[in-house]
Amino acid sequence: MTALDLDTARSIIAAARAHGSSAGFKPLTVVVLDAGGHVVAVEREDGASMKRFEIGFGKAYGALSLGMGSRSIMARAEQQAYFIGAVTAAVGGTLVPVPGGVLVRDEGGDLVGAVGVTGDTSDNDEAAAVAGIEAAGLTAQVD
């Protein structure tokens, strides 16, 4: 796979939502970006609060921007707040440094995109993203 296509993005979203539903998570919003940071697909569940698209996008876009999952970005923010603040400004404010932004790699290890999930706790958001990515036969990179 050289690109994350629409059918794959839809599969990721469906599996992430199914994981959230079976685990009793609050309503989720799932954003799938390609490796260039473009939106491939997004779904916002009924009852999700406003601005969830922007949060999910920021988690995924931040992961792509720094080449690491948003959990690692959070750890970096705790150690180097000025750096993360500067990066956030450099990417136009589209960086949300909490878990839930996961990089997507294909079977060859190539980066094909990122998934951002928001709506429940950050740990649960990340778990839903990983479940969606893995159900699509891809590799989730959280670090």
Side-chain angles (χ1 to χ4, degrees), residues 3-23:
L4 204 160
D5 62 21
L6 181 58
D7 287 339
T8 303
R10 287 178 172 159
S11 295
I12 291 169
I13 290 169
R17 290 184 56 213
H19 178 84
S21 178
S22 69

Side-chain angles (χ1 to χ4, degrees), residues 12 16 35 38 45 50-51 54 70 77 79 90 101 108 119 128 134 143:
I12 291 169
H38 303 99
E45 292 183 329
M50 61 183 285
K51 295 300 189 180
E54 291 83 355
S70 59
Q79 298 299 314
E134 291 178 350
D143 59 357

Side-chain angles (χ1 to χ4, degrees), residues 4-6 8-14 16 29-34 37-43 53 56-57 60 64 104 112-117 133:
L4 204 160
D5 62 21
L6 181 58
T8 303
R10 287 178 172 159
S11 295
I12 291 169
I13 290 169
T29 298
V30 183
V31 180
V32 180
L33 306 180
D34 66 16
H38 303 99
V39 175
V40 179
V42 60
E43 286 191 18
F53 167 78
F57 181 84
L64 285 171
V104 181
V112 295
V115 175
V117 177
I133 293 164

Side-chain angles (χ1 to χ4, degrees), residues 62-110:
L64 285 171
S65 295
L66 289 174
M68 64 179 72
S70 59
R71 176 176 296 280
S72 293
I73 296 171
M74 181 179 75
R76 186 121 185 228
E78 291 169 347
Q79 298 299 314
Q80 297 178 309
Y82 291 118
F83 173 74
I84 295 300
V87 171
T88 301
V91 299
T94 53
L95 188 149
V96 178
V98 296
V102 179
L103 295 174
V104 181
R105 296 199 177 270
D106 67 11
E107 59 280 349
D110 293 327

